[in-house]
Amino acid sequence: MIKMNRIILTVSALVKDNLRNRFVIFWVIVFPVLLTLLFSLVFGGFSTYFHVMVVVQGNENLAKFLNTTDIFQGITNVSLTYAMKHNYIYLKVNGTTFIIYASKQNQQFIPTLEAIVREYYQQDVNNNLHFNVAKITNYTYYDYLISGMIGIVSLSNGVLGIIGVSAGYYRDRLVERLAASPLRSYEWVISLIIYVIIITIISTITVIILGIIFNFIPIISLSFIGFIILSTLLFGGLGAIIYGLTPKDKIFLSEIISNILIFPLMFLSNAFFPSNVYPQYIREFVQYQPLSDIITVIRDFTIYGTLPSMSTILIIVILTIIFIYTGGKLLKLREID
């Protein structure tokens, strides 16, 4: 039977002990702030560095012509909703009338797009073209970046939170003292999970406060908060598995493995840039790896206020259950409980 008072006392001790640790403070607060500021300042207008995606409805040859430019990449067969959620420009062609749907960030490219369209049509209809522009969102790169950072927070705090505390307590022989107490292994696991959820919420609040400075006003809902907890559970379970499988006489390996795992997942994801800017040979991995899926759901909640793909949510729930169950079995206070 679960003793809630033991769990509450353990969680309280974990929070007090670790939030006094400068290393923990760095990963929970300083690291996400520095990373967000770095990418905000360096890539604040990131669309100018890459081809801008333009969805063309009504003229496939125009889309192909856009691909010959150094600025735009034309695609077809994509809905306006999908274009909006991926910050594409949407160009609807109806004879000599063109409706351009673009986000606030992409408004700067509209004059250039109009000029290229006129160039394409000039031999057929001269310049008797009519353009109407509609701003579909107030989307900016800062929205994209900061919502991505929220996903990274759940990854780093989930994996490193579990491994950092477990490995530190093992080296300091505090686990032996806990093993001598009435605390059961599953109560220890529950306490660790609650702890990483708490530090993830602290980190998320810090990133959102920073985001407000860049005019990022997220849509906060119970669904969003619940998903942050779910994603933290997923990565926390993964951290428990890594720690549980690591030989205790080589416990430092768990921290090395976690860093080897986290940084490729972080930088080969859609956290900082959309998947289409990556080389073709890794594009599929970037688009569908777990962190990218989680960030996509976070953006659906915080930026667009739409329901995410239920199939994606189901996959994340299944993976979370598997990781938490397996990690809970591996993360023991004592050999026999």
Side-chain angles (χ1 to χ4, degrees):
M1 183 177 179
I2 297 176
K3 298 288 188 181
M4 285 305 301
N5 61 324
R6 293 204 292 244
I7 293 175
I8 292 171
L9 289 172
T10 305
V11 171
S12 177
L14 287 171
V15 171
K16 290 178 181 178
D17 185 28
N18 287 280
L19 291 186
R20 293 171 182 165
N21 187 312
R22 294 179 182 177
F23 182 77
V24 174
I25 291 295
F26 172 82
W27 282 105
V28 173
I29 296 177
V30 179
F31 174 72
V33 167
L34 287 178
L35 200 59
T36 304
L37 284 174
L38 174 64
F39 277 85
S40 295
L41 295 174
V42 176
F43 298 103
F46 87 110
S47 287
T48 60
Y49 297 95
F50 307 109
H51 283 72
V52 180
M53 304 291 287
V54 179
V55 179
V56 180
Q57 180 189 342
N59 191 331
E60 291 187 5
N61 289 328
L62 175 57
K64 294 177 182 178
F65 182 74
L66 290 175
N67 287 329
T68 65
T69 69
D70 293 327
I71 301 174
F72 300 108
Q73 182 174 346
I75 57 175
T76 57
N77 300 319
V78 170
S79 69
L80 175 60
T81 301
Y82 184 91
M84 179 190 73
K85 291 174 65 173
H86 290 78
N87 198 34
Y88 299 165
I89 294 175
Y90 190 88
L91 176 61
K92 186 175 182 180
V93 181
N94 184 13
T96 59
T97 300
F98 303 84
I99 303 176
I100 302 174
Y101 300 89
S103 67
K104 177 181 178 181
Q105 176 175 304
N106 286 331
Q107 296 282 312
Q108 61 183 311
F109 299 107
I110 291 175
T112 305
L113 178 60
E114 290 182 5
I116 291 173
V117 172
R118 290 184 188 278
E119 179 186 348
Y120 174 78
Y121 279 97
Q122 67 179 8
Q123 293 181 348
D124 298 325
V125 294
N126 291 318
N127 289 323
N128 298 320
L129 307 179
H130 305 282
F131 294 91
N132 297 311
V133 179
K135 187 174 73 172
I136 51 177
T137 66
N138 288 319
Y139 177 100
T140 67
Y141 177 64
Y142 303 114
D143 301 332
Y144 189 92
L145 170 65
I146 294 166
S147 57
M149 279 303 307
I150 294 172
I152 288 176
V153 159
S154 67
L155 167 68
S156 61
N157 285 347
V159 175
L160 294 178
I162 292 289
I163 292 177
V165 171
S166 300
Y169 277 38
Y170 182 85
R171 282 193 294 265
D172 295 339
R173 308 181 73 89
L174 292 175
V175 168
E176 294 180 9
R177 294 169 58 184
L178 289 172
S181 73
L183 190 71
R184 308 297 296 272
S185 285
Y186 59 82
E187 292 170 339
W188 169 237
V189 172
I190 292 172
S191 300
L192 283 173
I193 291 295
I194 294 174
Y195 162 73
V196 296
I197 289 172
I198 290 172
I199 63 172
T200 297
I201 291 173
I202 293 172
S203 297
T204 300
I205 292 172
T206 302
V207 170
I208 289 175
I209 291 173
L210 178 63
I212 292 172
I213 298 174
F214 294 100
N215 294 317
F216 171 66
I217 309 298
I219 301 171
I220 303 297
S221 63
L222 290 177
S223 299
F224 164 67
I225 296 171
F227 186 75
I228 290 297
I229 292 173
L230 178 66
S231 59
T232 304
L233 288 173
L234 186 152
F235 292 123
L238 179 60
I241 291 172
I242 294 171
Y243 178 81
L245 292 175
T246 304
K248 298 305 175 282
D249 58 336
K250 298 179 180 178
I251 203 63
F252 66 92
L253 288 176
S254 63
E255 296 168 309
I256 294 174
I257 292 170
S258 64
N259 286 308
I260 291 173
L261 174 70
I262 283 175
F263 284 98
L265 285 178
M266 182 189 306
F267 289 107
L268 293 178
S269 73
N270 61 3
F272 307 114
F273 309 110
S275 59
N276 60 61
V277 308
Y278 290 89
Q280 185 65 48
Y281 60 88
I282 61 168
R283 193 171 296 170
E284 292 296 314
F285 171 78
V286 171
Q287 185 172 356
Y288 297 110
Q289 59 115 320
L291 179 59
S292 291
D293 282 338
I294 283 171
I295 290 172
T296 297
V297 173
I298 290 172
R299 288 186 177 127
D300 286 341
F301 282 132
T302 60
I303 298 178
Y304 308 113
T306 60
L307 291 176
S309 166
M310 288 300 103
S311 59
T312 301
I313 293 291
L314 181 60
I315 292 171
I316 292 172
V317 168
I318 292 171
L319 286 175
T320 300
I321 293 172
I322 293 172
F323 285 0
I324 286 292
Y325 178 81
T326 306
K329 290 290 185 181
L330 293 171
L331 192 59
K332 296 180 178 180
L333 274 176
R334 52 188 75 84
E335 292 301 318
I336 300 175
D337 214 354

